[in-house]
Each structure stands twice: as C-alpha cells, then as structure tokens.
Amino acid sequence: MSIRIYNTLTRTLEPFETLEPGVVKMYVCGVTVYDRAHIGHAMSAIVFDVVRRYLEYRGYAVQHVVNFTDVDDKIINRAREIGRDPKELAESYIAEFLEDLEALNVKRAHIYPRATETMPEIQQFITRLIETGHAYVVDGDVYFRVATVPDYGKLSRRSLDDMIAGNRISVDERKENPADFALWKAAKPGEPFWDSPWGPGRPGWHIECSAMNLAHLGEQIDIHGGGADLIFPHHENEIAQTESLTGKPFARYWMHNGMLQIQTRLADGTYKLEKMSKSLGNVVTIREFLARYHPDVLRLTVLSSSYRSPLAFGEEIAADQERKLVRLRSALEPPIGTIEAGPAVDLLLAAARTTRERFIAAMDDDFNTAGALAALFDLVRAINTARDAGVGGAPFAEAQATFRELTDVLGLTLTPQQAIIQSAAPFIDLLIEVRSELRKAKQFALADMVRNRLSDLGITLEDTPQGTRWKASDKRHV
C-alpha cells in the first residue's frame, strides 16, 4: 500500500507521488513573531514534524522549509507598545520559539527563511507580476489583480462574490476590485521600510511565502502545509500569485491541520470548548505548558486524533495523556527473566512484527497517528505480558527495539527525567521560597545547601532582579 494524503485542494485522499523520485519538497507556514508562541503553534509544528519523520522513515529525502514572518503590523504595533526595535523583538521571539521546538523534540527545519532577508526576491517577484499584468501600482502600494486568475478561490471553494459579500475583504476605493490584495505596502511614518521601485515600503503578508518558497524550493513543491485558518486568504493568495508567475501548479498536496481549542470545566461538571485567544484569557504558551507537563504529553494529545480534526486541550485531557505516557514507558522497563525460546517468545516476536505492519498501514493512510498509537499500545501489552512470563535476552531486546523504532518515528522521547522534574515543580518552587527566606535571615550555609542539593537533582537556579528562576539541567541523577 502506498502513502495516501488528503489534499485540501481536491478534497480527496490521493496517492503520494513526488515531483522528483525519492525527494519531498515541503514548505510549512511558520509563525508571525510578535509574542511568545502558544500550544496552537506547537500543534502545527508537531503535526508536520511527524509528517517529515514518517516520510524519512519510508526512505524519502525531505527538504523542509519553515518561514518566519518577521515584519508585520502586529510586530510593529507590539514593538511600539513596549518600546523595542521591531527587528530585535522579532529575533528574540524567533530564538525563543526555536528553543521551545527543541524542548518539544521537533526536528529543526532545514531552512528558516525570514521575510526581512528575502526583500530582493520579493521585489523581483512583484516586478514580474506587474510586467505580466497580474499586479498594479497605486500611490506606492502594489495590488494583485484577482480578475486575472479565472480559478481564484479553488482552494477555499469560495467565489469572488461570496468573498466580498462575506465582508472578509477590506474596502479600498483605490483598488480595481475589492478582492485585490496587497503585494507591497507604502511606508507609514515611524514604520520599518525598504526602498523599492514603487517607493519605500514593506511587503504584504502573502507575497512573503511565495517568494521564500520560490527562492528555496523552486517553482513547484510537493507539500504545502499550515493551519486550517490559513486556507483563506493566505494560501488562496499564495496559489494565485505563484501560479500567475510560473504558469505551473504550485503545490501537489495542500495539508492543513485543525485548530486547537481549550476545554474548560463548568460548575455543573460539563465541559465547553473555546477558541484560544487573548481576549478570552485562555492562551497557553509553550513555556507555560512545559512548566507543568512533559513534552510528550502535548505530542500524545496531537497524535491521539486526526491532524485534520480540531484539537481540544485541557487539564483532564492532559491527565489522560500522562496516564498513556506512563503505559508507554512501561514497555521500556528491563526484563526480569532470561527465557529466549518457547511459546511466550514466539508470541512476543509475532506481536512486534504485526505492530510494525499495522503502524505502517495506519501512517500510510493520511498519517493516521491514532491508529499507529493503537498498534503501539498493543505492543506495550505484549511486551509487559512477555516480561511477566520471564522472557528476556535477545527476543525481549528485539521487541523493545521495534517499540523504540516506531515511537521515534512519532517523535516521542519517553524520557522519565523531565516528567519527574515537571511533576515536582510545586515542590521545587517551595524549596526556592525557603531558600529565599534563609538568605534573608543570613543563613547562607543552609541556603547554599538547598541550591546544591537541587543541582545534584538536575535543577539549576538562576538569581535575577525579578526573582529566582529554575530549569532542568542535563544532569541525570534523578
């Protein structure tokens, strides 16, 4: 059975066939870096991390590109609010996000292009669209002519009339058509700008990704990914401007992950799901999540359902994933016997073979991670049953190796150290508070003892003007 992928463009499951045999060109829209990344951003990163890991497991060479939008109204406004340089602000959040991804065991993309580093390519792209009649200049702004694209709306399945009637398009009397979108924006006072043939300004959001895609992966790619919220207008406009430039189909497969919702428990014991947003005060940053939970908890939450479905997250859901994590880890416990032949061994090795087959069949079916996990839990049961039956030696090691091989494909670390440390967070905070009081009382020897004992346990303290912070070090004494 070959890999099949659900293509948003065609709304069907399609056999996976790459432009170049054995090579996958995959571009995933990244974050606009104006604030700390939240678990919704992490969800998308984990989804496409698993896609990449599985394609590599199946023998493909994946060229993985994820962009950063580092010039945008949100960045400019946020920088103005807190008195920071927009470029410096964006870079600080990029660095933090990359640290978050590492903590979540997300593989680094091969390239992380920035919009600000792609200005020559962006301007060349726009110039060619103007020359071919697909774009026009008005007072230093440049707009794309959607009327030149007969199939505009093919990704989102929206007609131009519906788009305009839905009030999703801002009204600007200078536009030839209300649906025309900005490729270049003339500079406003106090904003960052770049010189261009049309005057000082900066690029529109959509053109950035098209230009970065073209610069790093070429005119056509195999997979274009991102959140479902990007289907319209972002990805719709990417298709329009890129295919107008190249005259070729842009991406063979459009993949979109569902959106994350926050589950909250009401007073009557029922639950409600809400969109995660600052206005509702329910945004959970990646760092806030990692302060409470093991990274695998979030990965298991994502893996437990279809990547295309909306994802719910809440305390009860996290607790359920923690229980699953404990079960998965149990498969890595050492054997207690030495039996290497007999019925129990045969059953274990058969279970390992069957699990790999079921795992591949599930993942070939549009990256069905829930089905893959189900196969893994059956292997956990088989390993634990074999352990209880006294199986050990090479057969037991082989089954565990199969388990580790497949959990690695899903990006699960299954390391207990971080879980122990994170579950002990309230106690660590209490010890830090006790240490602070000891220092106030000038009992420095006792205060240093607390610091040293925490260090022995893998906890590093950092005293700052804002208070004492802690992080898990690389020590493995716990």
Side-chain angles (χ1 to χ4, degrees), residues 296 325-336 376 379-384 387 396-408 412-416:
D296 281 344
L325 186 53
V326 171
R327 287 174 56 200
L328 288 170
R329 286 203 193 101
S330 70
L332 297 175
E333 294 176 6
I336 57 177
L376 283 172
L379 180 56
V380 170
R381 186 180 304 108
I383 289 173
N384 290 338
R387 183 189 296 107
F396 196 84
E398 181 181 334
Q400 286 189 321
T402 299
F403 176 77
R404 174 56 81 182
E405 167 196 324
L406 300 179
T407 54
D408 283 349
L412 293 164
T413 63
L414 304 180
T415 52

Side-chain angles (χ1 to χ4, degrees), residues 154-167:
K154 64 183 177 182
L155 181 69
S156 60
R157 304 291 177 95
R158 303 181 184 207
S159 68
L160 271 177
D161 290 341
D162 290 340
M163 294 176 196
I164 296 170
N167 295 321

